[in-house]
Amino acid sequence: MLGFLLVSGYGGLVDRQRGNAPSPTSRFATGFRALNNLIEQSGGTVALSGDAAARPGQGLLILTPNLQTKPAELEAALKDAAGESAPVLIILPKWVSAPQQLRPNREERLTAIAAPTLMRMLAPVTKVTVDHHSKVRLTYPTSLDLRPFRTPETVQSLDGDKIYSLIAAPDGSAVLGEVPGKHIYILADPDLLNNYGLAHRQNAQAAIALLAALDPDNPGTINFDTMLPYGAGGRNLVQLMLEPPFLGVTLALFAAALLAGLATWARFGPPRREPRALDFGKRALIENIVSLARRAGRTRDGGEAFADAIRDWAARRLALPRTLQGETLDAHLDALPTQTSYAASASQVRTAKTEAELLHAAQKLDDWRKEVKA
């Protein structure tokens, strides 16, 4: 049950993180796990976060949009930067790729991303055109302390009036460009910094120099955004239950259910029902009469009536003449051949002073009645 809840709540997030979208944790060729490890092994610090409030207040913010990223999402990610003067590096996607069927831990390039898709993605930042060049040599028309990269076979570049080239293709278009006045840098070709590109030592050395040059005030402090590659995903009911601020409510309900289960497990036998205030049947009626007599203190007064009732019953049972009354009738009943004496039992019932004495005498008189009935 717990496994089902976790899969239903976080399965989509796990699938996005394990996919081949270019992200700082992806091991695929288009991912940036190698850049992440390179920064840490070089003595830098890397923060992975999709929440702007959880990021450090300084450092270079790296955004890695993918084919599914919308212009509004990229614009929102830029607004979440550390500040207006904080540098941001946007690494554009280049390839449409998918995991290989026979070796799903590797991916294959299907085709290059269409230029209009990248142009629409960058529309909130600047207006550019996208070009591709084959087997070219890059130039570095900038005063920044950059090291040369090993050029991939196909180079992707940007051209526009509002972008300055820091690393340029032969026609002057920007492979790495700066949007003036915004501290935003755009790397058009991700093959310089992704896992595929950093497989070469030359590119690894050039990558460290590039990151330090883009943020000389905080070299080695890098903030990787995870919202664009992984997506917001949206919170579902399970995530709301297992994450703050509702985690405390979930734990309280779980503790209450656990205590209720322990109480149920420790109980022996079926649950006891509360008795009725007034039961059904003759026995309940008699018990109610006795209870009322006890409360009124009239229990002993019932002895005289009980003795008279037994005597009248015996007279009818034995079909004695009606002329027998009082002491004459008592003498006749006492003369009957029974083991229990009628006169003694009747006298004890009439003269009992306590409820216990009355009960004992009534039982003896009832025994005499049973002998007569037999």
Side-chain angles (χ1 to χ4, degrees):
M1 183 63 181
L2 180 59
F4 172 77
L5 290 177
L6 293 177
V7 170
S8 61
Y10 294 94
L13 179 60
V14 173
D15 289 340
R16 290 193 297 272
Q17 293 184 359
R18 295 183 61 184
N20 71 320
S23 68
T25 59
S26 175
R27 297 178 180 269
F28 290 96
T30 55
F32 297 94
R33 183 179 180 86
L35 180 61
N36 187 351
N37 295 340
L38 176 63
I39 297 170
E40 291 181 342
Q41 293 174 6
S42 301
T45 57
V46 179
L48 306 180
S49 176
D51 186 3
R55 296 173 187 157
Q58 58 185 6
L60 175 66
L61 174 62
I62 298 180
L63 304 179
T64 57
N66 54 59
L67 183 61
Q68 307 299 328
T69 302
K70 300 179 181 178
E73 295 175 343
L74 180 59
E75 184 177 12
L78 289 172
K79 292 180 180 179
D80 291 338
E84 295 182 357
S85 61
V88 178
L89 174 61
I90 303 174
I91 304 178
L92 293 179
K94 180 179 177 181
W95 302 103
V96 177
S97 60
Q100 298 180 8
Q101 294 183 354
L102 299 180
R103 292 186 293 180
N105 60 332
R106 295 189 178 185
E107 65 180 353
E108 57 182 345
R109 298 172 179 176
L110 303 179
T111 184
I113 297 178
T117 302
L118 298 177
M119 293 166 59
R120 285 193 300 269
M121 184 186 303
L122 289 176
V125 183
T126 184
K127 293 183 179 180
V128 295
T129 58
V130 180
D131 300 320
H132 292 87
H133 312 271
S134 299
K135 298 181 180 181
V136 296
R137 185 180 182 87
L138 303 180
T139 60
Y140 301 83
T142 176
S143 60
L144 297 179
D145 185 15
L146 301 181
R147 292 189 178 186
F149 284 90
R150 178 177 178 177
T151 308
E153 293 184 2
T154 302
V155 175
Q156 180 174 269
S157 64
L158 305 176
D159 191 11
D161 296 335
K162 296 184 178 181
I163 186 168
Y164 296 158
S165 296
L166 303 180
I167 301 177
D171 61 352
S173 58
V175 177
L176 173 65
E178 178 183 4
V179 180
K182 295 185 178 181
H183 295 88
I184 297 177
Y185 304 92
I186 304 175
L187 180 62
D189 198 316
D191 287 344
L192 301 182
L193 295 182
N194 58 21
N195 297 336
Y196 172 78
L198 293 184
H200 305 284
R201 181 185 298 271
Q202 179 180 347
N203 284 357
Q205 295 174 347
I208 293 298
L210 172 63
L211 297 179
L214 296 183
D215 188 16
D217 295 334
N218 303 285
T221 303
I222 305 299
N223 300 318
F224 263 109
D225 171 74
T226 58
M227 183 64 70
L228 292 181
Y230 298 156
R235 278 191 171 187
N236 52 42
L237 181 60
V238 176
Q239 293 180 7
L240 289 175
M241 290 171 54
L242 300 180
E243 296 178 3
F246 299 106
L247 178 60
V249 178
T250 303
L251 293 177
L253 293 177
F254 177 77
L258 180 61
L259 293 176
L262 291 176
T264 304
W265 176 78
R267 185 181 63 195
F268 178 80
R272 298 181 60 184
R273 297 180 179 180
E274 295 184 0
R276 290 175 50 87
L278 297 175
D279 292 331
F280 298 106
K282 297 179 181 180
R283 182 180 182 86
L285 180 60
I286 295 174
E287 290 179 353
N288 290 335
I289 294 175
V290 172
S291 178
L292 291 175
R294 286 174 177 170
R295 292 187 179 184
R298 302 292 300 275
T299 307
R300 292 176 298 171
D301 297 343
E304 188 77 24
F306 181 72
D308 292 342
I310 293 297
R311 182 180 61 184
D312 295 340
W313 173 86
R316 293 192 302 273
R317 177 73 177 182
L318 299 175
L320 299 178
R322 295 180 179 272
T323 55
L324 293 176
Q325 297 290 334
E327 295 180 357
T328 306
L329 179 58
D330 289 341
H332 185 81
L333 295 177
D334 188 50
L336 293 175
T338 58
Q339 295 182 357
T340 304
S341 172
Y342 168 78
S345 300
S347 176
Q348 291 177 0
V349 170
R350 296 179 188 277
T351 60
K353 296 182 178 181
T354 63
E355 184 175 344
E357 293 179 357
L358 178 60
L359 179 61
H360 181 69
Q363 289 175 345
K364 292 182 63 177
L365 186 58
D366 187 64
D367 293 340
W368 176 86
R369 181 190 67 81
K370 292 178 180 179
E371 293 181 22
V372 172
K373 183 178 180 181

